[in-house]
Amino acid sequence: MNENDDVMYRLLVQNIHGYALFMLKPDGTVMNWNAGAQRAIGYLSSEIVGRNFACFFSEEEQAKGLPQRGLQIAEETGRYDVEGWRYRKDGSAFWAHAVIDAVRAEDGTLIGFAKITRDCTEQKEKLAEQRAQEQKFRLLVEGVTDYAIYMLDPEGHVVNWNEGARRNKGYTAEEIVGKHFSCFYSREDRQAKLPENNLKMAYQTGRFEEQGWRIRKDGGAFWAHVVIDAVHDDDGKLIGYAKITRDCTEQQRSLNEQREQAEVFRLLVEGVSDYAIYMLDPHGLVVNWNAGARRAKGYSADEIVGKHFSCFYSAQDRQASVPETNLKTANTVGRFEDQGWRYRKDGSAFWAHVVIQAIYNDEERLLGYAKITRDCTEVREYEQQILRAKDLAEQNSVRTASLSKFLDTIITNIPSCVIVEDLVSQEILLLNNRAEQLLGLSQQQMSGKKLSDRLSPEMAAYFGLLSAAAQRNEGVHRNEQLLLTQGGERIISASASIVRGSDARDNYVLLIANDVTDQRAADARIHHMAHHDNLTSLPNRELFSQRLNEALRADKENGKRTATLGLDLDNFKNVNDALGHQVGDDLLRAVAVRLRNVLRDQDTLARSGGDEFSIVLPGLMQIAEAEAVAKRLIEAIRPTFSVDGHNLSVGLSIGIALADSKLNTPDQLLRCADMALYEAKRNGRNRFEHFSAAMGEAASKRRMIETDLREAMTGRHLKLYYQPITNGQGEEIIGYEALMRWHHPVKGLIMPLDFIPIAEETGLIHSLGAFALYEACREAITWPAHQSVAVNLSPLQFKNSSLVSVVQAALKDSGLAPQRLEVEITESVLLDNTLVNIRTLQKLKALGVRIALDDFGTGYSSLSYLRSFPFDKIKIDKSFINDMKESREALAIIRAITGMSRSLDIQITAEGVESSEQFEQLKMEGCTLFQGYYFGRPQPSETRLKIFHPPERFRMAPPDAMLPDSSPSGLLDPGAAAGS
């Protein structure tokens, strides 16, 4: 070591602030004292040099000879390493880690001791806090009552037992600890060695998870969700298994019931075979098709969906625009009902009873039509036979008797209920078979009696009103009502008309009734389908808007307020992508159940689509009520969902919009709730945000920027600028960083910080990133062969599985050598989906591309990043460069990074160098590459700085003689993402 090295070494020791470094004579007298010792212990060098280091010990320790014992051990063994309390000049104690090294001359003579002391008080407190936390965690596990949580040794014997385990399985800790966990399985499972196989699976894969039946102490079985995690020590040795069991019997039962109900509900309409039930769009095109429609009309769903329903009418009806007239009637009055000839696929005609119901949303906009058609050919034929028989009887009195018998036979077998009563006496003259079944009375029991004599008051009144209406006015009178019949509550549709005899004194009332319960149920199902989500059975957008309208009107009258909540699941897409849409659908149904359980009866929960939900909270007095509901909703979704054997975790982001004098329409509330939801997601997800006027302004600005940005991408208003990167001599350009600029035709130059976040939010970042890669490679191929180009990648680009292919294509398309392309990433890439992103980085590395870690030290910088991936370069963030002159901490961080990079053989780039002082200081600290306004500003490729002509500031002039760059400090380029 020469004299200069000795001076540098002494200056290094003197300026270290984190450690107390000093020398002792063989008797323990302090020989020298560095700044770290002054800072840690409080003595100035003039106050302590020459005194014995025993003054750092307590009087009790001095009396026991601890200082001398430490020196003795260091002398005998070469080093003494100890932790304990030491004392500062002011008498305060600190927990110290001290190392004493014996220092000997070349001939082995002891010349003194080197002592290093570090203040570890904070670490000790953290360790104590960690142990307290571990104790709390142990007590927490032992106190959990809903989950059985316990440990197994490597052979499967129970080691410990919490309260939840005792509650779930019935054993006390004394009864079960030490026994094999296979006692929780059935005899058949034990014979099949399932317990051992499950442990083996956990050992091989790290985790075993399943659902199945388990056995309690009393022999009772319960449906359990089980997780077994293998636990290893630091050396990788198996030390046992952590086992968590939850009793899911009730949840499994509820899930099975829910699935059965959903299946029954779905099959209700599809299984109706006596009625053709289908939907039309507003133009009359067929939207869907049930089994009854296929049976009645002969078309399969594939053949008819999308065609106009007029194909069921005759050519004459179509020419007369009868189908369109019927739709117009339904649209005008809400319902069209008729009977007439319709035509099947094979051309055959059938007599149809048709109902067309117009369906509107809450804004009175026509959504389409529900159409129900019933084949009544057989019924009409019977009616025609009755009329023909009546005519024959009147025309030929000779054949009256035989015709009367024939008439009785026909009426008896008509598939509708037929009741004939005398107009004057109201006595029953005739009941057919269907009428006997409906009324529960025979023809013999009713003959000569009145309906009021035999029927319930409700039934008698119903038919009596119809009969009276027919007597007052000519024509057919109809009515429909829910009545209690022999078969239970049924919907009866009946008509009454007057039949005139040959004698004016012989007049009759003809009552024809039909049970239309099934038909009306089908109507209700169609109405439900039009207003509810098929997957969750929650209200859909149309019904939600209707409920929101109603709430706004009612709350305005009552002086209360309405809140609208927009909800979106966090991480749901990952579930869909990884496990498929069936699991995703099951998860959405489970989420809907949890959300509904949190809300009041008067609240409305709707599914808006995908993983989005909406809520109406009516009758609020203050905003805190909406916040309380939002918190409960988030907490309800937080616990893990068990779906088809998978444990799934999702979060919930919520936007809240509260109605007021300006915000008082459904569209406004929904739009503002969406903006607040977006803000919640932007601020970290799994939280709620309130809508504010600032959000509206920001959203408007974002929309304008997004629109302009799309035009900029198609109009080629985006251009790459290049900032030079130089080596330690500051004279040679070894490469450039590509930085994106937007030349707006009206607003002029727009910097990346103003448009890159919008690109990331809208997904345009992938197109921008591809443009930056292709353009940078295309232009770099024209540069000297030793110069590289660096392109920033956004963390969002790593969510695109085609990123590696884009980089590969950009290189191939341009012909640029892979080692001349450098991609820069930030630490957030390693925080988000680390394993997948590490694999992507490895694929890029395999192409030959260089990888740089940008803005190191500003976020969650960790040595684990540098261990997880071999980066080619680390870039020190410009904020440390700016602050290193005034901030010792900033300089210490720079020194730590450069020291680490030397050990790992990684290049260091200092960003944002703006002055000669900074340049010289950074060279001294070990930086190898430099970038900043001091060396050149970003310029287009054609005008970029190609050769440095350094002024005197690059020569050997002293630092004081160097003039800083004339550019304002801090105006560094905002290198964000996608080449920004």
Side-chain angles (χ1 to χ4, degrees), residues 403-468:
L403 288 175
S404 177
K405 183 178 180 181
F406 176 64
L407 182 62
D408 289 343
T409 302
I410 293 175
I411 292 175
T412 299
N413 293 285
I414 287 177
S416 295
C417 302
V418 177
I419 305 170
V420 179
E421 66 178 13
D422 185 273
L423 179 64
V424 178
S425 67
Q426 296 185 331
E427 293 178 353
I428 301 302
L429 303 177
L430 177 65
L431 288 180
N432 72 343
N433 291 342
R434 284 292 181 92
E436 289 180 340
Q437 294 171 12
L438 176 67
L439 304 179
L441 297 167
S442 66
Q443 167 76 36
Q444 184 178 1
Q445 290 172 309
M446 289 298 296
S447 182
K449 305 291 184 181
K450 298 179 181 180
L451 289 174
S452 58
D453 294 337
R454 292 291 188 179
L455 300 184
S456 67
E458 183 184 25
M459 290 276 284
Y462 172 68
F463 288 112
L465 289 172
L466 275 173
S467 177

Coordinates of all heavy atoms in Angstrom, one line a residue, residues 403-468:
L403 N -128.8 -36.4 -32.9 CA -127.8 -35.3 -32.9 C -127.5 -34.8 -31.5 O -126.4 -34.4 -31.2 CB -128.3 -34.1 -33.8 CG -128.3 -34.4 -35.3 CD1 -129.0 -33.2 -36.0 CD2 -126.9 -34.6 -35.8
S404 N -128.5 -34.8 -30.7 CA -128.3 -34.3 -29.3 C -127.3 -35.3 -28.6 O -126.4 -34.8 -27.8 CB -129.6 -34.3 -28.5 OG -129.4 -34.0 -27.2
K405 N -127.5 -36.6 -28.9 CA -126.5 -37.5 -28.3 C -125.1 -37.3 -28.8 O -124.1 -37.3 -28.0 CB -127.0 -38.9 -28.6 CG -126.1 -40.0 -27.9 CD -126.7 -41.4 -28.2 CE -125.8 -42.4 -27.6 NZ -126.3 -43.8 -27.8
F406 N -125.1 -37.0 -30.1 CA -123.8 -36.8 -30.7 C -123.1 -35.5 -30.1 O -122.0 -35.4 -29.8 CB -124.0 -36.6 -32.2 CG -122.7 -36.2 -33.0 CD1 -121.6 -37.1 -33.0 CD2 -122.7 -35.0 -33.6 CE1 -120.5 -36.7 -33.7 CE2 -121.5 -34.6 -34.3 CZ -120.4 -35.5 -34.4
L407 N -124.0 -34.5 -29.9 CA -123.5 -33.2 -29.3 C -123.0 -33.4 -27.9 O -122.0 -32.9 -27.6 CB -124.7 -32.2 -29.3 CG -124.4 -30.8 -28.8 CD1 -123.3 -30.1 -29.7 CD2 -125.6 -30.0 -28.8
D408 N -123.7 -34.2 -27.2 CA -123.3 -34.5 -25.8 C -121.9 -35.2 -25.8 O -121.0 -34.9 -25.0 CB -124.3 -35.4 -25.1 CG -125.6 -34.7 -24.8 OD1 -125.5 -33.4 -24.8 OD2 -126.6 -35.4 -24.5
T409 N -121.7 -36.1 -26.7 CA -120.4 -36.8 -26.8 C -119.3 -35.8 -27.2 O -118.2 -35.9 -26.6 CB -120.5 -37.9 -27.9 OG1 -121.5 -38.8 -27.6 CG2 -119.1 -38.6 -28.0
I410 N -119.5 -34.9 -28.1 CA -118.5 -34.0 -28.5 C -118.2 -33.0 -27.3 O -117.0 -32.8 -27.0 CB -119.0 -33.1 -29.7 CG1 -119.1 -34.0 -30.9 CG2 -118.0 -32.0 -29.9 CD1 -119.6 -33.3 -32.1
I411 N -119.2 -32.5 -26.7 CA -119.0 -31.6 -25.6 C -118.3 -32.2 -24.4 O -117.4 -31.6 -23.8 CB -120.4 -31.0 -25.1 CG1 -120.9 -30.1 -26.2 CG2 -120.2 -30.2 -23.8 CD1 -122.3 -29.6 -25.9
T412 N -118.6 -33.5 -24.2 CA -118.0 -34.2 -23.1 C -116.5 -34.3 -23.3 O -115.7 -34.2 -22.3 CB -118.6 -35.6 -23.0 OG1 -120.0 -35.5 -22.7 CG2 -117.9 -36.4 -21.9
N413 N -116.0 -34.4 -24.5 CA -114.6 -34.6 -24.8 C -113.8 -33.4 -25.2 O -112.7 -33.5 -25.5 CB -114.5 -35.7 -25.9 CG -115.0 -37.1 -25.4 OD1 -114.3 -37.7 -24.6 ND2 -116.1 -37.5 -25.8
I414 N -114.5 -32.2 -25.2 CA -113.8 -31.0 -25.5 C -112.7 -30.8 -24.4 O -113.0 -30.9 -23.2 CB -114.7 -29.8 -25.5 CG1 -115.6 -29.9 -26.8 CG2 -114.0 -28.5 -25.4 CD1 -116.6 -28.8 -26.9
P415 N -111.4 -30.4 -24.8 CA -110.3 -30.3 -23.8 C -110.5 -29.0 -22.9 O -109.6 -28.8 -22.1 CB -109.1 -30.2 -24.7 CG -109.6 -29.8 -26.0 CD -110.9 -30.3 -26.2
S416 N -111.5 -28.2 -23.1 CA -111.8 -27.1 -22.2 C -113.0 -27.4 -21.3 O -113.8 -28.3 -21.6 CB -112.1 -25.8 -23.0 OG -111.0 -25.4 -23.8
C417 N -113.1 -26.7 -20.2 CA -114.2 -26.9 -19.3 C -115.4 -26.2 -19.9 O -115.4 -25.0 -20.2 CB -113.9 -26.3 -17.9 SG -112.5 -26.9 -17.1
V418 N -116.5 -27.0 -20.1 CA -117.8 -26.5 -20.6 C -118.9 -26.6 -19.6 O -119.1 -27.7 -19.0 CB -118.2 -27.2 -21.9 CG1 -119.5 -26.7 -22.4 CG2 -117.1 -27.1 -23.0
I419 N -119.5 -25.4 -19.3 CA -120.6 -25.4 -18.3 C -121.8 -24.6 -19.0 O -121.6 -23.5 -19.5 CB -120.2 -24.6 -17.0 CG1 -119.0 -25.2 -16.4 CG2 -121.4 -24.6 -16.1 CD1 -118.4 -24.4 -15.3
V420 N -123.0 -25.3 -19.0 CA -124.1 -24.6 -19.6 C -125.2 -24.5 -18.5 O -125.5 -25.4 -17.8 CB -124.7 -25.5 -20.8 CG1 -126.0 -24.8 -21.3 CG2 -123.7 -25.7 -21.9
E421 N -125.7 -23.2 -18.3 CA -126.7 -23.0 -17.3 C -127.9 -22.3 -18.0 O -127.7 -21.6 -19.0 CB -126.2 -22.2 -16.2 CG -125.8 -20.8 -16.5 CD -125.2 -20.0 -15.3 OE1 -125.0 -20.6 -14.2 OE2 -125.1 -18.8 -15.4
D422 N -129.1 -22.5 -17.4 CA -130.3 -21.8 -17.8 C -130.1 -20.3 -17.6 O -129.7 -19.9 -16.5 CB -131.5 -22.4 -17.2 CG -132.8 -21.8 -17.7 OD1 -133.2 -20.8 -17.2 OD2 -133.3 -22.4 -18.7
L423 N -130.5 -19.5 -18.6 CA -130.3 -18.1 -18.5 C -131.2 -17.5 -17.3 O -130.7 -16.6 -16.6 CB -130.7 -17.4 -19.8 CG -130.5 -15.9 -19.8 CD1 -129.1 -15.4 -19.6 CD2 -131.1 -15.3 -21.1
V424 N -132.4 -18.1 -17.2 CA -133.3 -17.5 -16.2 C -133.1 -18.1 -14.8 O -132.9 -17.4 -13.8 CB -134.8 -17.7 -16.7 CG1 -135.7 -17.1 -15.6 CG2 -135.0 -17.0 -18.0
S425 N -133.2 -19.4 -14.7 CA -133.1 -20.1 -13.4 C -131.7 -20.3 -12.9 O -131.5 -20.5 -11.7 CB -133.8 -21.5 -13.5 OG -133.0 -22.3 -14.3
Q426 N -130.7 -20.1 -13.7 CA -129.3 -20.3 -13.4 C -129.0 -21.7 -13.0 O -127.9 -22.0 -12.4 CB -128.9 -19.3 -12.3 CG -128.9 -17.9 -12.7 CD -128.4 -16.9 -11.6 OE1 -128.4 -17.3 -10.4 NE2 -127.9 -15.8 -12.0
E427 N -129.9 -22.7 -13.3 CA -129.6 -24.1 -13.0 C -128.6 -24.6 -14.0 O -128.6 -24.3 -15.2 CB -130.9 -24.9 -13.0 CG -131.9 -24.5 -11.9 CD -133.2 -25.3 -12.0 OE1 -133.3 -26.0 -13.0 OE2 -134.0 -25.2 -11.1
I428 N -127.8 -25.5 -13.5 CA -126.8 -26.2 -14.4 C -127.4 -27.2 -15.2 O -128.1 -28.2 -14.7 CB -125.6 -26.8 -13.5 CG1 -125.0 -25.7 -12.7 CG2 -124.6 -27.5 -14.5 CD1 -124.4 -24.6 -13.5
L429 N -127.2 -27.1 -16.5 CA -127.8 -28.1 -17.5 C -126.8 -29.1 -18.0 O -127.1 -30.2 -18.3 CB -128.4 -27.4 -18.6 CG -129.5 -26.3 -18.3 CD1 -130.0 -25.6 -19.6 CD2 -130.7 -27.0 -17.6
L430 N -125.5 -28.7 -18.0 CA -124.5 -29.5 -18.6 C -123.1 -29.2 -18.0 O -122.7 -28.0 -17.8 CB -124.4 -29.3 -20.1 CG -123.4 -30.1 -20.9 CD1 -123.6 -31.6 -20.8 CD2 -123.3 -29.6 -22.4
L431 N -122.4 -30.3 -17.7 CA -120.9 -30.2 -17.3 C -120.2 -31.2 -18.2 O -120.6 -32.4 -18.3 CB -120.7 -30.5 -15.9 CG -121.1 -29.5 -14.8 CD1 -120.8 -30.1 -13.4 CD2 -120.4 -28.2 -15.0
N432 N -119.1 -30.9 -18.8 CA -118.3 -31.9 -19.5 C -117.2 -32.5 -18.5 O -117.1 -32.0 -17.4 CB -117.7 -31.4 -20.8 CG -116.6 -30.4 -20.6 OD1 -116.4 -29.9 -19.5 ND2 -115.8 -30.2 -21.6
N433 N -116.4 -33.4 -19.1 CA -115.5 -34.1 -18.2 C -114.5 -33.1 -17.6 O -114.1 -33.2 -16.4 CB -114.7 -35.2 -19.0 CG -115.6 -36.3 -19.4 OD1 -116.7 -36.5 -18.8 ND2 -115.2 -37.1 -20.4
R434 N -113.9 -32.2 -18.4 CA -112.9 -31.2 -17.9 C -113.6 -30.3 -16.8 O -112.9 -30.0 -15.8 CB -112.4 -30.4 -19.0 CG -111.4 -31.0 -19.9 CD -110.1 -31.3 -19.1 NE -109.1 -32.0 -20.0 CZ -108.2 -31.3 -20.7 NH1 -108.2 -30.0 -20.6 NH2 -107.3 -32.0 -21.4
A435 N -114.8 -30.0 -16.9 CA -115.5 -29.1 -15.9 C -115.6 -29.9 -14.6 O -115.5 -29.4 -13.5 CB -116.8 -28.7 -16.4
E436 N -116.0 -31.2 -14.7 CA -116.1 -32.0 -13.5 C -114.7 -32.1 -12.8 O -114.7 -32.0 -11.6 CB -116.6 -33.4 -13.9 CG -118.0 -33.5 -14.4 CD -118.4 -34.9 -14.8 OE1 -117.5 -35.7 -15.0 OE2 -119.7 -35.2 -14.8
Q437 N -113.6 -32.2 -13.5 CA -112.3 -32.3 -12.9 C -112.0 -30.9 -12.2 O -111.4 -30.9 -11.1 CB -111.2 -32.6 -14.0 CG -111.4 -34.0 -14.6 CD -110.5 -34.2 -15.8 OE1 -109.6 -33.4 -16.0 NE2 -110.7 -35.3 -16.5
L438 N -112.3 -29.8 -12.9 CA -112.0 -28.5 -12.3 C -112.8 -28.3 -11.1 O -112.3 -27.8 -10.0 CB -112.3 -27.4 -13.3 CG -112.1 -26.0 -12.9 CD1 -110.6 -25.7 -12.5 CD2 -112.6 -25.0 -13.9
L439 N -114.1 -28.6 -11.1 CA -115.0 -28.2 -10.0 C -115.0 -29.3 -8.9 O -115.4 -29.0 -7.8 CB -116.4 -28.0 -10.5 CG -116.6 -26.9 -11.6 CD1 -118.0 -26.8 -12.0 CD2 -116.1 -25.6 -11.1
G440 N -114.5 -30.5 -9.3 CA -114.6 -31.6 -8.3 C -116.0 -32.1 -8.1 O -116.2 -32.7 -7.0
L441 N -116.9 -31.9 -9.0 CA -118.3 -32.4 -8.9 C -118.7 -33.0 -10.2 O -118.2 -32.6 -11.3 CB -119.2 -31.2 -8.6 CG -118.9 -30.4 -7.3 CD1 -119.7 -29.1 -7.3 CD2 -119.4 -31.3 -6.1
S442 N -119.6 -34.0 -10.1 CA -120.0 -34.7 -11.3 C -121.3 -34.0 -11.9 O -121.9 -33.2 -11.3 CB -120.4 -36.2 -11.0 OG -121.5 -36.2 -10.1
Q443 N -121.5 -34.4 -13.2 CA -122.7 -33.9 -13.8 C -124.0 -34.2 -13.0 O -124.9 -33.4 -12.9 CB -122.8 -34.5 -15.2 CG -124.2 -34.3 -15.9 CD -124.4 -32.9 -16.5 OE1 -123.4 -32.3 -16.9 NE2 -125.6 -32.4 -16.4
Q444 N -124.0 -35.4 -12.4 CA -125.2 -35.8 -11.7 C -125.4 -35.0 -10.4 O -126.5 -34.6 -10.1 CB -125.0 -37.3 -11.3 CG -126.2 -37.9 -10.6 CD -126.1 -39.4 -10.3 OE1 -125.0 -40.0 -10.6 NE2 -127.1 -40.0 -9.7
Q445 N -124.2 -34.6 -9.8 CA -124.3 -33.8 -8.5 C -124.7 -32.4 -8.8 O -125.4 -31.7 -8.0 CB -122.9 -33.8 -7.8 CG -122.5 -35.1 -7.2 CD -121.1 -35.1 -6.7 OE1 -120.2 -34.7 -7.4 NE2 -120.9 -35.5 -5.5
M446 N -124.4 -31.9 -10.0 CA -124.7 -30.5 -10.3 C -126.0 -30.3 -11.1 O -126.5 -29.2 -11.2 CB -123.5 -29.9 -11.2 CG -122.3 -29.7 -10.4 SD -122.5 -28.5 -9.1 CE -122.8 -27.0 -10.0
S447 N -126.5 -31.3 -11.7 CA -127.7 -31.2 -12.5 C -128.9 -30.6 -11.7 O -129.2 -31.1 -10.7 CB -128.1 -32.6 -13.1 OG -129.2 -32.4 -14.0
G448 N -129.5 -29.5 -12.2 CA -130.6 -28.9 -11.6 C -130.2 -28.0 -10.4 O -131.0 -27.3 -9.8
K449 N -128.9 -27.9 -10.1 CA -128.4 -27.0 -9.0 C -127.8 -25.8 -9.6 O -127.4 -25.7 -10.8 CB -127.3 -27.8 -8.2 CG -127.8 -29.1 -7.7 CD -128.9 -29.0 -6.6 CE -129.2 -30.3 -6.0 NZ -130.3 -30.2 -5.0
K450 N -127.6 -24.8 -8.8 CA -126.9 -23.6 -9.2 C -125.4 -23.7 -8.8 O -125.1 -24.4 -7.8 CB -127.5 -22.4 -8.5 CG -129.0 -22.1 -8.9 CD -129.5 -20.9 -8.1 CE -131.0 -20.6 -8.5 NZ -131.5 -19.5 -7.7
L451 N -124.6 -22.9 -9.5 CA -123.2 -23.0 -9.1 C -123.0 -22.5 -7.7 O -122.1 -23.0 -7.0 CB -122.4 -22.0 -10.1 CG -122.2 -22.5 -11.5 CD1 -121.5 -21.5 -12.4 CD2 -121.4 -23.8 -11.5
S452 N -123.8 -21.5 -7.2 CA -123.6 -21.0 -5.9 C -124.0 -22.0 -4.8 O -123.6 -21.9 -3.6 CB -124.5 -19.7 -5.7 OG -125.8 -20.0 -6.0
D453 N -124.8 -23.1 -5.2 CA -125.2 -24.1 -4.3 C -124.1 -25.1 -4.0 O -124.0 -25.7 -2.9 CB -126.4 -24.9 -4.8 CG -127.6 -24.0 -5.0 OD1 -127.7 -23.0 -4.2 OD2 -128.5 -24.4 -5.8
R454 N -123.2 -25.3 -4.9 CA -122.2 -26.3 -4.8 C -120.7 -25.8 -4.7 O -119.9 -26.5 -4.1 CB -122.3 -27.3 -6.0 CG -123.6 -28.1 -6.0 CD -123.6 -29.1 -4.9 NE -124.8 -30.0 -5.0 CZ -125.0 -31.0 -4.2 NH1 -124.2 -31.2 -3.2 NH2 -126.1 -31.8 -4.3
L455 N -120.5 -24.7 -5.3 CA -119.1 -24.2 -5.4 C -118.8 -23.3 -4.2 O -119.7 -22.8 -3.5 CB -118.8 -23.4 -6.7 CG -119.1 -24.2 -8.0 CD1 -118.7 -23.3 -9.2 CD2 -118.3 -25.5 -8.0
S456 N -117.5 -23.1 -4.0 CA -117.0 -22.1 -2.9 C -117.5 -20.8 -3.3 O -117.7 -20.5 -4.5 CB -115.5 -22.2 -2.8 OG -114.9 -21.6 -4.0
P457 N -117.7 -19.9 -2.3 CA -118.2 -18.5 -2.7 C -117.3 -17.8 -3.7 O -117.8 -17.1 -4.6 CB -118.1 -17.8 -1.3 CG -118.3 -18.9 -0.3 CD -117.6 -20.1 -0.9
E458 N -116.0 -18.1 -3.6 CA -115.0 -17.4 -4.5 C -115.2 -17.9 -6.0 O -115.3 -17.1 -6.9 CB -113.6 -17.7 -4.1 CG -112.5 -17.0 -5.0 CD -111.1 -17.4 -4.6 OE1 -110.9 -18.5 -4.0 OE2 -110.2 -16.6 -4.8
M459 N -115.4 -19.2 -6.2 CA -115.6 -19.8 -7.5 C -116.9 -19.4 -8.0 O -117.1 -19.0 -9.2 CB -115.5 -21.3 -7.5 CG -114.1 -21.8 -7.2 SD -113.1 -21.9 -8.7 CE -113.8 -23.4 -9.5
A460 N -118.0 -19.5 -7.2 CA -119.3 -19.1 -7.6 C -119.4 -17.7 -8.1 O -120.0 -17.3 -9.1 CB -120.3 -19.4 -6.5
A461 N -118.8 -16.8 -7.3 CA -118.8 -15.3 -7.6 C -118.1 -15.1 -8.9 O -118.5 -14.2 -9.7 CB -118.1 -14.6 -6.5
Y462 N -117.0 -15.8 -9.2 CA -116.2 -15.6 -10.4 C -117.1 -15.9 -11.7 O -117.2 -15.1 -12.6 CB -115.0 -16.5 -10.4 CG -114.2 -16.5 -11.7 CD1 -113.5 -15.4 -12.2 CD2 -114.2 -17.7 -12.5 CE1 -112.8 -15.4 -13.4 CE2 -113.4 -17.7 -13.7 CZ -112.8 -16.6 -14.1 OH -112.1 -16.6 -15.3
F463 N -117.7 -17.1 -11.7 CA -118.5 -17.5 -12.8 C -119.8 -16.6 -12.9 O -120.4 -16.3 -13.9 CB -118.9 -19.0 -12.8 CG -117.7 -19.9 -13.1 CD1 -117.1 -20.7 -12.1 CD2 -117.2 -19.9 -14.4 CE1 -116.1 -21.5 -12.5 CE2 -116.1 -20.7 -14.7 CZ -115.6 -21.5 -13.7
G464 N -120.3 -16.3 -11.7 CA -121.6 -15.4 -11.7 C -121.4 -14.1 -12.3 O -122.2 -13.6 -13.0
L465 N -120.2 -13.5 -12.0 CA -119.9 -12.2 -12.7 C -119.8 -12.3 -14.2 O -120.3 -11.4 -14.9 CB -118.6 -11.6 -12.1 CG -118.7 -11.1 -10.6 CD1 -117.3 -10.8 -10.1 CD2 -119.6 -9.9 -10.5
L466 N -119.2 -13.4 -14.7 CA -119.1 -13.6 -16.1 C -120.5 -13.7 -16.7 O -120.8 -13.1 -17.8 CB -118.2 -14.8 -16.4 CG -116.7 -14.6 -16.5 CD1 -116.0 -15.9 -16.6 CD2 -116.3 -13.7 -17.6
S467 N -121.3 -14.5 -16.1 CA -122.6 -14.8 -16.6 C -123.5 -13.5 -16.6 O -124.2 -13.2 -17.6 CB -123.3 -15.9 -15.7 OG -124.7 -16.1 -16.2
A468 N -123.4 -12.7 -15.6 CA -124.1 -11.5 -15.5 C -123.7 -10.5 -16.6 O -124.5 -9.8 -17.2 CB -124.0 -10.8 -14.2

